[in-house]
């Protein structure tokens, strides 16, 4: 949430910062701003709304310079407004951009007001600007680990460290001081930040994607790191203030720079990428001869997995739904008891940890604040080991877990998750098969691996049904409420379908286990409430068919996603979409895809902003 970009260069950095903001906009789009140093002057411009609004404003103002920071905001403290947009200034000499939340901003604000500082916004961030200004003004030139640096840099760093020492909460920060036209300060605590290395120029950003137009070489700051970045150098210090070396990493997805191509929206592009990225996610996990490659999880993984007796999965949102599907697999195929919980609840619960329980997090971004906090809690709670299933190499979750299982969905820009979800499911099914390998027997094992390998081509077939799904979508546009029903692993698939519809079309959607219908929700059903069912031909189909009749008898309009052989025909109140019959194990992955397309086409009919739905942002790095 929110995006930071900064640059120190010999060239004018404004276009670099604006391009960075455009690339980061999916992380927050309430307002945007930029601050650039030029000839001893700090120029700052801010605008409410999307980055395009800031760009239009800058066409009328000459904002140019060789050092600058910029921000796109997802409001936490203070409504979206120009005054609350970043960068925040102090006394026209300090500029700050911030992601995260400063939890002790209220006492700090009172303290600074008592010192005579005037606040111009409702944000928690403004305290950082004034605090840094205060410490810079009052810090004497101290000796510190910057022995080789000139004295003014020592003062800058001392003031920055004094500021960081006062902050509680989560932050990624980018800071400028007018007396230091070559220096960019940055820090990371609970919110990601990278330094990008160019040729005689350096950059900072909350996500490498922001900088792929200028570099593919990144240093990922670690928790508690802070750095002094200039055009020709980057010095990084740890929490104790000791200078440290962090590796430079080449960005893996450099060849897939996030562009929409011929697609109307990123979400549609990402839905259509699923056959390719599912194949890529499987490629490093199964050998050409069909052998499971446990080594992708990390060294020693196989021996450790033999000790697993239970699994605890913790995640949020769509990733939580992936965990719920996996519970059916882990219990049904690997014979392992499994619990699944949302991270925001788990992290504050007094958990009892059964012996030999593997703790698994699932996250597209690897930076979700609640999931990360749950992992840190779990590491102290006595779990056997921790595993992160994640799409972003180098993310906090991946770095802090004992084992890692990477999905290879590539950058996901649409706020509503699609390909990240199905690749998580594929990785989870692979992981289940790995855990259950001794239990399953060779023939079953080979069948499951073959099911996984066949899936990308089957999903191509589902994507070809898009025109039929678009036609079904027209039935929703005028509705206000929808029910999604499923049974077994297709209940969480229905939950994910309901979440997608809510997120991008703003139609209220609820998912129920179909058997629960008559215990309450049936009261809602009438001919104005579409009921979507996820109904593959599995052992629960006949039971589900009875649930459909219950709906139909109350006048409900049914939209059924079924297999070709389901024996259900279209009729009054029955609208069926027939999908290829696939094996039960992979059906939850296949049936997720038409629900994504359904939400997408409903949103198109409604004319909402598909890729940037209201109130949301990608990667929730605040609690
Ligand atoms: C919904 C969506 C969110 C995320 C959730 C967790 O489409 O994307 O529900 O799944 O915020 O994010 P990650 O997976 O990055 O931990």
């Amino acid at each position: 949430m929110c995006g930071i970009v900064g640059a120190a260069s010999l060239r004018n950095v404004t276009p670099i910062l604006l391009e960075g903001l455009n690339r980061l906009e999916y992380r927050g789009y309430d307002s945007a701003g930029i601050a650039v140093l030029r000839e001893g002057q700090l120029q700052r411009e801010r605008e409410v709304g999307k980055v395009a609004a800031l760009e239009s404003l800058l066409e009328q103002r000459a904002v140019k310079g060789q050092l600058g920071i910029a921000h796109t905001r997802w409001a936490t403290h203070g409504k979206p407004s120009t005054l609350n947009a970043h960068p925040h200034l102090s006394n026209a000499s300090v500029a700050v951009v911030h992601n995260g939340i400063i939890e002790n901003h209220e006492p700090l604000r009172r303290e600074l007001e008592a010192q005579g500082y005037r606040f111009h916004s409702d944000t928690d961030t403004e305290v950082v600007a004034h605090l840094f200004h205060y410490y810079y003004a009052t810090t004497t030139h101290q000796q510190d680990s910057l022995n080789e640096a000139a004295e003014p840099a020592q003062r800058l760093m001392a003031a920055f460290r004094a500021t960081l020492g006062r902050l509680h909460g989560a932050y990624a920060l980018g800071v400028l001081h007018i007396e230091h036209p070559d220096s960019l300060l940055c820090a990371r605590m609970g919110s990601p930040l990278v330094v990008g290395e160019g040729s005689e120029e350096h950059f900072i950003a909350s996500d490498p994607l922001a900088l792929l137009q200028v570099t593919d070489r990144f240093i990922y700051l670690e928790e508690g790191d802070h750095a002094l970045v200039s055009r020709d150098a980057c010095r990084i210090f740890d929490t104790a203030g000791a200078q440290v070396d962090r590796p430079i990493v080449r960005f893996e997805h450099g060849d897939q720079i996030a562009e929409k191509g011929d697609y109307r929206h990123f979400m549609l592009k990402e839905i259509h990428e699923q056959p390719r990225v599912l194949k890529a996610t499987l490629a490093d996990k199964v050998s050409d001869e069909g052998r499971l490659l446990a080594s992708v999880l990390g060294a020693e993984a196989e021996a450790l997995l033999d000790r697993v007796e239970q699994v605890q999965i913790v995640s949020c949102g769509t990733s939580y739904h992936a965990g719920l599907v996996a519970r059916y697999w882990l219990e049904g195929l690997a014979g392992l008891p499994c619990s699944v919980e949302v991270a925001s609840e788990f992290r504050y619960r007094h958990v009892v940890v059964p012996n030999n329980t593997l703790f698994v997090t699932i996250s597209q971004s690897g930076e979700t604040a609640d999931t990360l906090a749950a992992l840190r809690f779990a590491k102290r709670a006595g779990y056997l080991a921790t595993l992160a299933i994640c799409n972003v190499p180098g993310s906090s979750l991946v770095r802090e877990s004992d084992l890692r299982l990477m999905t290879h969905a590539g950058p996901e820009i649409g706020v509503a998750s699609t390909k990240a979800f199905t690749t998580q499911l594929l990785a989870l099914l692979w992981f289940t098969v790995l855990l259950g390998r001794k239990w399953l027997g060779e023939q079953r094992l080979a069948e499951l691996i073959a099911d996984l390998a066949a899936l990308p081509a089957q999903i191509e077939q589902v994507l070809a049904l898009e025109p039929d799904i678009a036609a079904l979508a027209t039935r929703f546009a005028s509705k206000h409420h929808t029910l999604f029903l499923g049974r077994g692993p297709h209940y969480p698939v229905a939950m994910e379908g309901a979440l997608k519809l809510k997120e991008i079309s703003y139609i209220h959607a609820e998912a129920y286990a179909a058997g629960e219908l008559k215990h309450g929700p049936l009261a809602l059903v009438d001919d104005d409430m579409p009921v979507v069912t996820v109904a593959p031909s599995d052992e629960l189909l006949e039971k589900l068919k009875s649930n459909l009749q219950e709906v139909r008898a109350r006048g409900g309009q049914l939209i059924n996603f079924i297999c070709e052989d389901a024996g259900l025909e279209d009729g009054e109140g029955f609208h069926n979409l027939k999908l290829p019959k696939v094996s039960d194990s992979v059906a939850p992955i296949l049936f997720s895809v038409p629900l994504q397309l359904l939400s997408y086409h409903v949103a198109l009919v409604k004319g909402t902003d598909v890729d940037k739905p209201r109130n949301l942002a990608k990667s929730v790095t605040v609690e």
Side-chain angles (χ1 to χ4, degrees), residues 316-319 362-368 371 412 415-417 424 496 499-500 503 618-620:
C316 301
T318 290
S319 299
I362 308 170
S363 173
Q364 187 281 128
S365 61
E367 302 293 349
T368 301
T371 310
E412 190 180 64
V415 164
S417 191
Q424 285 170 348
E496 174 59 12
L499 179 66
K500 287 287 88 84
E503 278 182 295
K618 198 87 177 160
S619 187
V620 184

Side-chain angles (χ1 to χ4, degrees), residues 234-253:
C234 164
R235 272 173 280 168
I236 303 175
F237 305 88
D238 65 13
T239 327
Q243 189 163 346
V244 285
D245 275 335
R246 302 279 180 231
I248 297 177
V249 178
R250 221 168 255 282
F251 190 74
E252 275 193 16
H253 301 301

